[in-house]
Amino acid sequence: MTVKPFHLGWFLNGTSVPAWGQPFSGAIGTQWQSAEIFVDLARAMERACFDYVLIEDNTFVGDRYGDSMEVYLKHAFQAPRQDPMIVATLLAQATSKLGIIPTAGSFAYHPYMLARLVGSLDQLSKGRMGVNLVTGTSDRALQNYGYPGMGEHDSRYDTAEDFINASLALWDTWEPDAVVADVHTGVWADHTKVHRADFESATYSTRGPLNSGPLPQGRPIISQAGGSPRGIAFAAKYADTVIAIQATPAKMKEYRDKVREAAVSFGRNPDDVKVLFGIWPTIGSSQSEADDRIAAARAGVAANLEVALAAMAKSTDIDFANVPLDVPLGELGLSTNGTQQFAEFSARNATLTLREATIARSGAAGPALAGTPDHVAGLMEDIMAEVGGDGFLIGTNGVTRRFIAEITDGLVPELQRRGLTRRGYSFDQLRDNLLEF
Ligand SMILES: Cc1cc2nc3c(=O)[nH]c(=O)nc-3n(C[C@H](O)[C@H](O)[C@H](O)COP(=O)(O)O)c2cc1C
């Protein structure tokens, strides 16, 4: 079966350094402030012709596990995390083709502030910017901004919809040809082509126009990660790229089909919504080396179960320190107002205990891909053949320069050799590259 080329994104877990104690991690535990390893990563991504790097974020230090920050800080788990907008600026400066998508919580900004910030970044990067708009998965993030906690799940998406509509109205305040910069007539901008937004909704209002001027891309790339029906509807209505984690190719296909159907129901061309699936590959020079590394990772999780449980506690808002480890998940009846995808994880692993499911997952959701570059490239080809598109979001539980090289100098050349991923960028702007295939 021939597979059409697919897209590659990198899922950067913020600028935290949880791999600081691992082999081949250099001195990242003490050098993290300069974010140099992430600059190296961006340059390597660009060499490997990734479409974009997505900078994940949540704006709090975890303490859900056992009601303490201890595990999170001891293991540098998602803390420290520098502001993704600042990191995006640094990565934009270090690259010229790679797309950059920082995450923003709708609760953490006013739409005008975000529209101006991302608009400015789109200008500075010459049209390579996006924004991953999230509604938050924990009360803690909201509490840092003065709210008591998260609103009810679906109503968060209603607020996010107001937010995005306000932002779009602001990005649209400058017509593309408003700036003429004509030295002969002495006119820099044609004021008849710059408009007020005059946006009013239940949650936000904004007057406009945006004082930072037009964006090279008109609007930045919108990324979304909704997993629930309401989340999928939101993504299908607004997103240019949807990021998702699904355990099997069948689930990926089902998810992508749902997003595409929903996009059609909103009058959009489904090919304009690129769905990228999270994978956490383990690459070795031989199959046995890769298998050994998976076994070592599982043993590491088993020996330090609290780290994996604390990670899940942070994203689900469930305190796993108070959940029995050796009772089947199906009997526990856990639920959350955070990510609804945990319900799916519980249902899929209903017969496993929390301990067993956590070790099997080994800190990474998505399908297990392990082996030589050639073998993993083949697995990715097979998955895309079954799913139909549109690509993968590659992640790791902790960036080291060794892992970067395994992907960009090991795996990607194999994908390119098979004609599955691009060997060069056809365009300067992110949207054009995303829409190329
Ligand atoms: C690949 C991926 C990346 C995500 N990145 C973030 C993030 O950076 N920050 C955040 O607060 N939530 C993030 N989320 C959580 C989503 O925003 C969303 O809450 C989650 O997918 C659940 O969707 P649902 O609420 O529609 O079930 C991410 C989810 C996925 C699947």
Side-chain angles (χ1 to χ4, degrees):
M1 178 185 278
T2 41
V3 179
K4 70 179 179 110
F6 53 78
H7 300 271
L8 288 179
W10 185 276
F11 187 44
L12 181 61
N13 269 155
T15 53
S16 51
V17 287
W20 66 276
Q22 287 178 19
F24 298 95
S25 58
I28 58 174
T30 52
Q31 294 174 348
W32 57 272
Q33 286 183 353
S34 69
E36 242 176 72
I37 183 168
F38 305 109
V39 171
D40 287 352
L41 177 133
R43 290 204 173 108
M45 300 295 91
E46 186 160 279
R47 235 182 14 254
C49 302
F50 274 59
D51 285 69
Y52 62 73
V53 53
L54 184 133
I55 311 171
E56 190 226 358
D57 192 36
N58 45 49
T59 53
F60 66 105
V61 176
D63 65 357
R64 195 70 181 98
Y65 184 76
D67 203 17
S68 165
M69 294 186 287
E70 182 181 351
V71 179
Y72 300 95
L73 291 178
K74 182 175 168 194
H75 297 278
F77 183 80
Q78 296 191 352
R81 284 192 141 171
Q82 294 163 320
D83 190 299
M85 299 294 162
I86 306 293
V87 176
T89 316
L90 193 66
L91 302 190
Q93 174 79 10
T95 52
S96 62
K97 301 284 186 188
L98 181 70
I100 300 162
I101 308 186
T103 293
S106 50
F107 53 86
Y109 296 87
H110 184 277
Y112 189 90
M113 185 185 181
L114 187 78
R116 189 178 186 216
L117 202 46
V118 177
S120 304
L121 283 169
D122 198 50
Q123 294 164 350
L124 296 173
S125 66
K126 300 192 170 74
R128 295 184 286 129
M129 221 29 81
V131 60
N132 179 37
L133 195 71
V134 299
T135 63
T137 52
S138 167
D139 290 338
R140 286 287 178 270
L142 278 287
Q143 285 161 2
N144 284 340
Y145 291 88
Y147 301 99
M150 292 188 293
E152 181 274 323
H153 180 268
D154 283 11
S155 78
R156 297 206 295 274
Y157 280 110
D158 297 340
T159 310
E161 196 150 341
D162 280 353
F163 189 104
I164 195 79
N165 282 325
S167 308
L168 293 173
L170 288 165
W171 287 319
D172 290 347
T173 52
W174 289 66
E175 292 183 31
D177 56 351
V179 176
V180 285
D182 187 334
V183 288
H184 298 295
T185 58
V187 174
W188 184 78
D190 177 350
H191 76 283
T192 66
K193 295 187 171 173
V194 182
H195 312 282
R196 283 166 54 171
D198 287 332
F199 178 87
E200 292 279 348
S201 71
T203 328
Y204 301 104
S205 66
T206 183
R207 182 181 187 272
L210 205 56
N211 70 337
S212 46
L215 282 64
Q217 294 186 103
R219 296 170 168 189
I221 289 300
I222 307 293
S223 161
Q224 230 290 316
S228 59
R230 182 69 183 91
I232 289 176
F234 179 74
K237 193 164 173 189
Y238 296 102
D240 302 291
T241 184
V242 175
I243 53 175
I245 300 169
Q246 297 291 338
T248 62
K251 292 254 172 212
M252 291 179 192
K253 179 166 170 27
E254 188 188 327
Y255 180 86
R256 180 173 179 265
D257 288 349
K258 272 190 204 159
V259 171
R260 290 172 64 84
E261 270 166 36
V264 171
S265 77
F266 289 114
R268 297 184 67 195
N269 178 351
D271 292 339
D272 290 352
V273 188
K274 303 299 179 190
V275 185
L276 268 56
F277 292 99
I279 54 171
W280 281 251
T282 304
I283 307 290
S285 346
S286 63
Q287 188 66 43
S288 62
E289 186 192 321
D291 292 343
D292 286 350
R293 282 166 71 176
I294 296 253
R298 288 202 171 139
V301 170
N304 280 302
L305 204 60
E306 58 174 15
V307 184
L309 291 175
M312 291 207 304
K314 193 168 184 223
S315 64
T316 59
D317 225 23
I318 296 171
D319 182 3
F320 288 103
N322 290 319
V323 176
L325 287 173
D326 298 310
V327 174
L329 281 174
E331 292 171 25
L332 289 174
L334 298 168
S335 67
T336 171
N337 186 34
T339 170
Q340 301 302 295
Q341 289 186 334
F342 182 74
E344 197 266 328
F345 174 76
S346 260
R348 186 159 33 85
N349 296 297
T351 58
L352 298 183
T353 66
L354 179 58
R355 185 194 305 275
E356 291 163 345
T358 308
I359 294 170
R361 189 172 182 261
S362 234
L369 303 180
T372 61
D374 179 51
H375 179 66
V376 173
L379 295 175
M380 290 168 72
E381 181 168 9
D382 293 345
I383 292 174
M384 275 300 120
E386 185 171 340
V387 177
D390 299 289
F392 293 100
L393 193 64
I394 295 183
T396 169
N397 288 323
V399 175
T400 60
R401 289 181 175 86
R402 169 172 159 170
F403 184 77
I404 297 169
E406 284 167 358
I407 299 298
T408 58
D409 301 332
L411 176 62
V412 172
E414 280 303 327
L415 294 169
Q416 290 171 331
R417 195 179 56 75
R418 290 165 183 251
L420 296 173
T421 61
R422 57 162 60 93
R423 287 168 182 273
Y425 293 92
S426 305
F427 302 98
D428 292 331
Q429 298 192 354
L430 174 54
R431 178 171 283 104
D432 294 332
N433 284 317
L434 273 178
L435 291 178
E436 186 182 3
F437 44 80

